Amino acid sequence: MPRCSVVLLLNFVPPYRVALLQALEREVRRLTVLVSTGMEADRSWKTDWRGLDVRVSRSLTLPYRRRHPDGFREDLSTHLSVDMLPRLCALAPDIVISSEFGARTLQACLYRCLAPLLGRRSRFLVWATLSEDSERGRGWARTILRRLMAKCADGAMTNGESGARYLESIGFAPERIFRVHQSTDLERFASLHTAARLPREASRAVRLVTVGSLIPRKGLRPFLQHLIAWCETNTDRVLSWRLIGEGPERAALEALLLPANLKLTLIGDVAYEDVPSLMADADLLAFPTLADEWGLVVNEAMAAGLPVLASTRAQATGEMVTDGQDGWLFDPTDPVSTKTALGRALNTPAASRIAMGDAARQTAARFSHANTARRMIEAIEAVWDQ
């Protein structure tokens, strides 16, 4: 196919996605990114588009609360872009890629139907960054609307196998589903000095790090209870857990009574470019999420050479982590599974953890921006040739 013009529809451009979009921009004739907002209010990141052609549409932002079937609640927001359709008509893209299944995707569907009437050839891809766990309990009305969008779309890109199964369940044919893994800037995290993880005396604390919002969905309070129980049983050992992020769970975490051999440090929000240095002296990443459509921090930690104590409720875990090789897997809703994996991770000798970290770095190398951009181009080519 000839180099084509692409319009990408997003809520906003997060800092971890800028390098990927720059890689995609180099492969197409023109890339225009239409966002609903420069940055969402609950994000601490700075707006930085680094030369990308990003345009902010007129949108209404509506907050709402969702209760997940596993019991936790989430404060979310939806963006209703009111001028997306006329913008698409003016840009006349060859390919429209729309994230998720909201109002912007509905307008992309309408443009796909209108394009032939306007004498244009256009194709439409949904970029569905989701998993079966993240979409449970969405309700029948959303499911019906998504089935209608599936009939209109030429294909869908999704993170991995769980996302693909969900897309099949709402009507996408398997041959129209393209696996496009989440990726990160490997160089930013791989540049950490390996000397930071040389074996230390057994008397020193095992240092865990977690990066993410302090919200119920991340499973932090239940996981801290498991750490407390482990420390109360293993009084001769010392643990340190560093949390990087901010959110409503902070007060509840600080209120828990900790044993003397467990230190909890809440760093708060930091700039995205500062995250690698805060991972540098950790021994492993703790990732106890109850539901994540991917979990990019897994990519980042593995790129930094950290083995991962990872929840199976995130798609990144299933796609990237091999139990006993570059991490330890557990179901955070199963106390026995969590206790067993935690014990295995904390009793792994320091030298073995470093070897697992080296294996993690090799795994992360497969999830580069270049590979993700290549898969996106393959999806574009496939729908263009239909």
Side-chain angles (χ1 to χ4, degrees):
M1 61 170 281
R3 283 165 62 87
C4 59
S5 63
V6 177
V7 169
L8 176 61
L9 313 181
L10 299 173
N11 280 340
F12 65 99
V13 180
Y16 58 77
R17 194 160 274 169
V18 172
L20 170 62
L21 299 186
Q22 290 174 326
L24 178 63
E25 184 180 47
R26 291 191 289 270
E27 299 298 325
V28 300
R29 178 165 55 85
R30 184 183 74 223
L31 174 66
T32 306
V33 184
L34 299 182
V35 297
S36 299
T37 181
M39 184 59 62
E40 291 184 327
D42 61 344
R43 311 281 180 166
S44 62
W45 300 318
K46 295 178 181 178
T47 300
D48 178 12
W49 298 327
R50 280 173 262 169
L52 292 168
D53 181 7
V54 181
R55 309 179 191 186
V56 182
S57 66
R58 290 166 47 209
S59 301
L60 299 174
T61 299
L62 303 176
Y64 68 97
R65 172 167 282 194
R66 179 196 176 206
R67 189 179 190 280
H68 192 274
D70 284 340
F72 61 85
R73 295 183 182 275
E74 296 182 272
D75 291 317
L76 304 170
S77 60
T78 186
H79 303 285
L80 302 179
S81 299
V82 298
D83 63 346
M84 195 64 71
L85 183 58
R87 283 175 176 268
L88 289 173
C89 290
L91 288 166
D94 299 314
I95 302 288
V96 178
I97 303 174
S98 181
S99 65
E100 314 310 339
F101 286 99
R104 77 175 68 84
T105 301
L106 184 58
Q107 292 182 74
C109 286
L110 293 175
Y111 177 76
R112 174 68 178 86
C113 296
L114 283 173
L117 302 178
L118 300 173
R120 301 170 181 171
R121 185 173 187 231
S122 184
R123 294 291 182 265
F124 168 44
L125 278 165
V126 177
W127 192 359
T129 54
L130 46 74
S131 70
E132 292 160 302
D133 272 326
S134 70
E135 301 312 297
R136 282 193 294 127
R138 287 291 188 181
W140 61 268
R142 284 177 183 257
T143 300
I144 290 173
L145 183 59
R146 290 176 176 189
R147 287 184 181 278
L148 292 174
M149 292 182 187
K151 291 182 181 296
C152 177
D154 296 291
M157 305 184 301
T158 192
N159 293 347
E161 296 308 315
S162 180
R165 289 191 296 269
Y166 174 81
L167 290 175
E168 283 193 56
S169 77
I170 62 170
F172 280 94
E175 63 272 15
R176 292 197 298 137
I177 300 172
F178 306 93
R179 280 71 167 172
V180 178
H181 297 132
Q182 295 274 30
S183 55
T184 192
D185 186 346
L186 297 175
E187 201 56 43
R188 179 189 296 271
F189 289 88
S191 60
L192 302 180
H193 201 278
T194 44
R197 272 180 289 284
L198 292 177
R200 295 169 286 116
E201 298 88 356
S203 61
R204 295 284 297 277
V206 177
R207 299 171 295 194
L208 291 72
V209 64
T210 296
V211 183
S213 300
L214 309 186
I215 55 177
R217 177 169 57 85
K218 295 298 183 178
L220 302 173
R221 252 195 291 172
F223 187 72
L224 181 54
Q225 295 283 11
H226 282 283
L227 290 182
I228 291 170
W230 191 89
C231 286
E232 289 175 343
T233 302
N234 298 270
T235 56
D236 59 329
R237 302 284 300 281
V238 179
L239 295 186
S240 170
W241 189 23
R242 176 186 296 164
L243 292 176
I244 303 169
E246 194 54 83
E249 287 284 276
R250 183 184 186 109
L253 291 165
E254 290 177 324
L256 288 173
L257 184 62
L258 305 182
N261 57 334
L262 174 59
K263 180 182 179 182
L264 176 66
T265 304
L266 290 94
I267 301 293
D269 282 329
V270 301
Y272 183 67
E273 56 268 23
D274 293 335
V275 172
S277 62
L278 290 170
M279 285 185 174
D281 63 347
D283 295 305
L284 59 94
L285 175 82
F287 184 56
T289 184
L290 299 174
D292 255 286
E293 49 87 7
W294 180 259
L296 195 66
V297 68
V298 173
N299 299 60
E300 295 166 348
M302 295 178 79
L306 294 182
V308 181
L309 177 58
S311 161
T312 55
R313 297 303 181 97
Q315 204 163 190
T317 301
E319 298 289 328
M320 298 185 71
V321 184
T322 301
D323 189 72
Q325 178 175 308
D326 45 28
W328 309 267
L329 306 183
F330 68 99
D331 181 348
T333 66
D334 181 346
V336 175
S337 172
T338 306
K339 178 181 178 180
T340 300
L342 181 60
R344 290 173 58 213
L346 298 180
N347 289 318
T348 298
S352 298
R353 282 199 307 267
I354 291 173
M356 294 176 74
D358 291 339
R361 185 170 288 175
Q362 293 176 28
T363 298
R366 302 200 303 270
F367 293 78
S368 65
H369 284 327
N371 282 341
T372 298
R374 174 180 55 80
R375 291 186 179 215
M376 294 179 77
I377 292 297
E378 288 172 354
I380 288 170
E381 291 176 341
V383 298
W384 185 257
D385 291 338
Q386 289 178 1

